[in-house]
Amino acid sequence: MTNFFDQFIKKNWLPYLVIMLGPLLLLSYPLLSGSSLFWGTPALQFIPWRTYAFEQILNGQMPFLNAYVGLNAPLIANYQLAFFYPFTWLIFPFFVLGGAPWLAWAHTLLVLIHLWLAGLGMAVLIKQWGGNVTGMMVGGLVFSLSGYWVTRLGFFSIISCGAWLPWELVFVNQILQSINQSKSPFQSQLWLCICVAMQLLAGHAQITFYSLILALAWGLVALFNGRQIKSFITNYLLIVIPVLLGSLLACIQLIPTAEYLILSQRSNSVDYMRALSYSFWPWHFVNFLTPNLFGS
């Protein structure tokens, strides 16, 4: 047993197992009892929207419109439906087997998968930085079980988008390493492109916006280090191009959503400062100095 445990640690499997165990324990009760996350946005948005969309699919129709909102509101174009996000379709078989109740339960399973994805991505990122097994375990658990994610478990698109952030940084780092070692970064670029596309399809614009700013700034700061301007621009394009290609892959969702936004009263009825209060109120910069100034 001791030899097995030693081999387990040497192969670096232990941190990944512990990271997966944390979210599993957190969500074990709803998963095992057949319960579901229902309060707030699950009951008002995600579960009814996706139930209605899947009903139309089974009836041989594309769910372009939601007949139960206004005079037929756009449904596919609704960004948070995340209709074209591949992980959304993992819950489709549950709907076919058990209707809306099974669909609601499957959303908790979807949350678990994304918390695993988030924690494992952070562990890989920490390993890239030279972190040890303990650092990987702590970092992965702290990120995947942070107060920000746990308090928003019912806002499925936030969880889905946030899970891709560490993976974007992982592949930006790999591109940077390839540049420094004069190797081809193609494989890392391909994975970065896929991560960007997945995050854009996952259905939460603010998280994606902040994530892409961080990933691009990450590469910008790392490359702008005594390099000549020509080589800097050339190398930086190796990061920017996969991001742009990932955005193009997500255009099947982004184009109808952009059209919907232009026609929506939300595009011009909320002023800039009020809109920021939903995402990042500028006064929250003070929280970097006193985190509980506006409450805990």
Side-chain angles (χ1 to χ4, degrees):
M1 180 62 72
T2 302
N3 291 334
F4 173 78
F5 190 70
D6 290 341
Q7 289 297 319
F8 196 81
I9 293 177
K10 287 179 181 178
K11 292 183 178 179
N12 281 335
W13 293 343
L14 180 62
Y16 304 118
L17 179 64
V18 172
I19 288 167
M20 295 181 73
L21 185 61
L24 183 61
L25 290 174
L26 175 69
L27 297 172
S28 59
Y29 177 77
L31 287 172
L32 295 175
S33 66
S35 304
S36 62
L37 300 166
F38 70 94
W39 181 84
T41 51
L44 297 174
Q45 297 181 15
F46 296 107
I47 293 171
W49 286 346
R50 288 170 178 170
T51 297
Y52 185 59
F54 288 153
E55 284 177 348
Q56 291 193 63
I57 291 293
L58 291 178
N59 290 329
Q61 298 176 323
M62 281 294 286
F64 290 113
L65 298 172
N66 184 350
Y68 294 100
V69 175
L71 300 174
N72 281 323
L75 186 56
I76 277 183
N78 191 317
Y79 195 48
Q80 292 193 108
L81 176 67
F83 182 79
F84 297 103
Y85 182 49
F87 281 81
T88 299
W89 288 90
L90 292 178
I91 61 178
F92 181 66
F94 293 93
F95 175 75
V96 173
L97 292 172
W102 281 39
L103 177 77
W105 178 88
H107 275 82
T108 307
L109 183 62
L110 204 58
V111 168
L112 175 65
I113 292 171
H114 282 92
L115 290 181
W116 281 345
L117 190 64
L120 295 175
M122 182 55 67
V124 172
L125 185 61
I126 291 172
K127 185 179 181 181
Q128 280 187 337
W129 291 336
N132 58 19
V133 170
T134 303
M136 292 167 65
M137 285 191 294
V138 172
L141 287 173
V142 166
F143 185 71
S144 62
L145 298 179
S146 67
Y148 184 84
W149 302 129
V150 173
T151 56
R152 290 164 175 79
L153 289 181
F155 211 113
F156 302 127
S157 59
I158 290 181
I159 305 297
S160 299
C161 282
W164 294 102
L165 169 59
W167 290 106
E168 289 172 347
L169 299 180
V170 164
F171 295 118
V172 168
N173 275 345
Q174 288 187 1
I175 294 171
L176 294 171
Q177 291 171 4
S178 298
I179 292 171
N180 292 331
Q181 297 170 5
S182 300
K183 295 181 179 179
S184 171
F186 176 74
Q187 188 173 3
S188 301
Q189 289 176 303
L190 178 62
W191 282 111
L192 177 60
C193 175
I194 292 171
C195 288
V196 170
M198 294 291 273
Q199 192 177 49
L200 284 166
L201 292 173
H204 198 269
Q206 293 96 320
I207 295 293
T208 303
F209 178 70
Y210 293 139
S211 298
L212 293 180
I213 285 178
L214 176 59
L216 291 172
W218 190 284
L220 184 70
V221 172
L223 286 172
F224 198 72
N225 186 18
R227 297 176 185 270
Q228 294 182 350
I229 188 66
K230 185 177 181 180
S231 62
F232 162 74
I233 293 174
T234 302
N235 290 331
Y236 193 53
L237 284 174
L238 296 176
I239 297 173
V240 173
I241 289 174
V243 173
L244 294 177
L245 290 176
S247 303
L248 287 175
L249 287 176
C251 274
I252 190 171
Q253 177 67 70
L254 298 180
I255 291 175
T257 297
E259 183 180 8
Y260 188 16
L261 179 62
I262 292 171
L263 298 174
S264 170
Q265 77 276 14
R266 295 186 70 175
S267 63
N268 54 21
S269 64
V270 180
D271 62 85
Y272 179 73
M273 292 305 295
R274 183 171 176 80
L276 281 179
S277 69
Y278 294 113
S279 300
F280 191 85
W281 186 39
W283 274 100
H284 279 307
F285 278 112
V286 182
N287 283 343
F288 286 111
L289 302 176
T290 56
N292 293 323
L293 181 65
F294 302 105
S296 63

